[in-house]
Amino acid sequence: MNMMPRWSGGWGYQVHYEYVNESDLLLGSNKLHEGFTEDVNILHLEGVYTWKKEVRITVKLPYVLDAEREMPDGSGGKLIQKDSGWGDLNLGLPLKKYFNLDGKSGSTTFKPMLRIPLSSKDEYDIYYKEFGVGLGFGHEFETADYYFGIGTAGWVFDGNRPAELHTSIDLGYNFETKSSNGSIFWETDFHFEDDESKTLSSGPAFYFNHNDTIHSRIEWKHDIIDHQAILDHGNGNHFKIGIGWVF
Amino acid sequence: MKFHPILFFTVTAIFTSHFSVADEDKEEARPEVRLAAAKKTLSLSPNISLVYVKGLVCPSCAIGIRKNLSKMKGVDKKRFKDGIDMNPETQLVSIALKENAIINKKDLIERVDDAGYIAVEEYKMHDDHLDSLKFKHDATIEVVHHTHN
């Protein structure tokens, strides 16, 4: 749903529900403790306004419905920690250069980003309550049948949180129904943190365009490679379902 | 592996620029498939304006074309979907017209451009031939006629 709205003056909003389950407590790539899980439920509220077709503004605000993780308490038992409430606000200014060819269309994107801390400090934190600045690059194109997208984004934070790098490669197949259309994707993400933590996750996604206004998307990813520099949960499954409206 | 953001961003920028430049230089596909489709569409759908929109390959991204063009004067919104039918395979856009309506070409070009695409030419049947009316993207909008058998 990131490709819309491409038209000047277009705007939209979308709601994603994300569920993450991580079943192992890792240090490096080793399972230090088994049976110590983390379950996270997040609602992502996102808005977009396309000023001119080359300039957009995006706003993303997550709300942690419920997050819970089990950590060792030092005496052989489990310490349960929880988090809930608003996450940090993410503002983006995607600047796009489109190209249109016979049978092919796409764009190259340069995206400055800002993270504004709105989250509260809890027993543990999904969002760190730190200012951050980020820069993203992306390139995507598609034909009537296929989609290809590659992107990378880096973040640095004003605090203890290590710098982050996200890279993604997405491949898609476009299909049409009688009155609408959709896409099936295979998406691969690489997440790297400056403390040497790195995660490679991959999985399918399904996008459907119900009509000119309503769109939905469902995705699942599994952590194929997970290396945590500090004691943290890993080897997770990430499930996301969302619906969006564009005008 | 140590994190080197500047190096990584530089490599990524070079990589994505390469893609972009390569795309600009790419040769276009054969037009005869589109022309055959245009002839067929015009023979099946009366009273339409048929336009070749370059880059129209993704119906979701191209929703703006329908949104923009359906607001034009003379569009019969009762036909197709809001008066507009888009074919990503042939990149042809059919605009359903009200009786005796004439579409303002300058307005059409601007509306397609505003949606992020390029209106290249319009097709019309003349006797048994297909005429391509090529849009010139300047202020005066010259129309050049080509005839295909």
Side-chain angles (χ1 to χ4, degrees):
Chain A
M1 292 188 275
N2 293 328
M3 291 168 272
M4 287 188 290
R6 182 164 171 167
W7 55 97
S8 306
W11 62 281
Y13 56 89
Q14 56 191 28
V15 182
H16 286 284
Y17 164 71
E18 181 182 15
Y19 172 68
V20 183
N21 171 264
E22 296 187 308
S23 54
D24 299 319
L25 199 50
L26 302 178
L27 186 60
S29 299
N30 301 320
K31 291 179 195 174
L32 215 61
H33 298 277
E34 289 201 39
F36 283 72
T37 61
E38 180 176 19
D39 288 289
V40 179
N41 294 279
I42 304 175
L43 205 60
H44 297 270
L45 310 172
E46 303 179 355
V48 59
Y49 177 72
T50 302
W51 202 291
K52 297 184 73 165
K53 62 180 189 267
E54 299 88 359
V55 185
R56 289 185 197 180
I57 297 167
T58 59
V59 181
K60 297 179 181 181
L61 183 61
Y63 184 81
V64 180
L65 297 166
D66 172 44
E68 184 176 303
R69 72 173 181 183
E70 297 168 340
M71 299 292 279
D73 65 359
S75 55
K78 287 180 178 176
L79 173 69
I80 295 179
Q81 297 176 313
K82 294 188 177 200
D83 182 18
S84 63
W86 293 108
D88 295 330
L89 182 70
N90 189 333
L91 302 173
L93 185 71
L95 305 171
K96 287 179 170 282
K97 181 179 178 285
Y98 286 103
F99 61 87
N100 290 297
L101 302 168
D102 193 3
K104 187 177 175 185
S105 183
S107 66
T108 299
T109 306
F110 173 75
K111 184 181 179 185
M113 294 174 288
L114 187 66
R115 195 168 298 181
I116 297 166
L118 294 181
S119 59
S120 56
K121 286 284 177 191
D122 286 291
E123 291 169 1
Y124 89 107
D125 296 306
I126 302 291
Y127 296 94
Y128 281 53
K129 202 181 182 180
E130 289 178 0
F131 270 106
V133 289
L135 208 52
F137 295 99
H139 182 78
E140 62 185 26
F141 65 83
E142 63 188 304
T143 66
D145 296 325
Y146 301 104
Y147 170 87
F148 174 80
I150 183 168
T152 189
W155 284 94
V156 287
F157 300 97
D158 179 29
N160 297 324
R161 184 170 184 168
E164 292 177 5
L165 187 75
H166 308 264
T167 302
S168 62
I169 296 176
D170 304 332
L171 300 167
Y173 172 74
N174 300 327
F175 65 88
E176 282 194 68
T177 63
K178 220 172 188 180
S179 59
S180 198
N181 67 287
S183 306
I184 299 165
F185 296 99
W186 192 270
E187 300 180 337
T188 303
D189 294 345
F190 178 65
H191 177 90
F192 178 80
E193 293 182 11
D194 200 16
D195 64 0
E196 301 291 310
S197 296
K198 41 190 174 266
T199 307
L200 179 73
S201 44
S202 192
F206 178 79
Y207 162 82
F208 194 71
N209 176 18
H210 298 272
N211 54 45
D212 284 359
T213 304
I214 301 172
H215 313 263
S216 60
R217 183 184 155 90
I218 185 166
E219 67 176 66
W220 170 75
K221 282 194 185 72
H222 178 70
D223 296 338
I224 298 166
I225 298 169
D226 209 344
H227 179 100
Q228 298 294 336
I230 56 168
L231 188 66
D232 204 354
H233 290 81
N235 295 335
N237 285 296
H238 307 254
F239 174 77
K240 241 183 194 184
I241 185 165
I243 184 163
W245 290 261
V246 285
F247 304 94
Chain B
M1 187 166 74
K2 190 117 177 78
F3 180 48
H4 297 290
I6 294 170
L7 177 67
F8 201 91
F9 285 133
T10 306
V11 170
T12 308
I14 291 166
F15 182 66
T16 54
S17 304
H18 167 74
F19 262 108
S20 195
V21 171
D23 288 335
E24 298 282 5
D25 291 345
K26 191 175 179 291
E27 231 177 86
E28 291 195 4
R30 294 174 305 149
E32 48 265 35
V33 176
R34 183 172 49 254
L35 294 174
K39 204 169 175 180
K40 191 178 172 189
T41 306
L42 285 168
S43 63
L44 291 175
S45 306
N47 204 21
I48 63 166
S49 174
L50 187 64
V51 182
Y52 162 34
V53 175
K54 206 175 186 180
L56 169 64
V57 292
C58 158
S60 307
C61 316
I63 285 169
I65 293 174
R66 187 185 349 262
K67 284 183 185 284
N68 284 358
L69 294 186
S70 64
K71 291 174 192 160
M72 284 194 305
K73 259 189 175 178
V75 174
D76 182 2
K77 288 191 176 187
K78 289 173 190 157
R79 292 163 63 198
F80 302 140
K81 205 172 181 179
D82 278 338
I84 310 295
D85 183 60
M86 302 188 289
N87 188 330
E89 295 288 343
T90 58
Q91 301 182 81
L92 292 174
V93 174
S94 303
I95 306 167
L97 301 177
K98 288 177 183 167
E99 211 172 324
N100 300 322
I102 297 169
I103 291 292
N104 181 318
K105 300 289 184 291
K106 187 172 189 295
D107 190 29
L108 184 145
I109 291 166
E110 284 174 354
R111 284 175 184 271
V112 171
D113 180 72
D114 188 60
Y117 297 86
I118 303 165
V120 180
E121 55 192 9
E122 184 183 8
Y123 302 109
K124 283 190 187 298
M125 287 302 287
H126 177 72
D127 294 332
D128 221 11
H129 302 287
L130 185 74
D131 283 358
S132 303
L133 315 176
K134 204 168 180 66
F135 299 134
K136 295 281 182 183
H137 288 257
D138 57 23
T140 53
I141 310 170
E142 289 176 51
V143 180
V144 181
H145 297 256
H146 296 285
T147 303
H148 308 275
N149 289 321

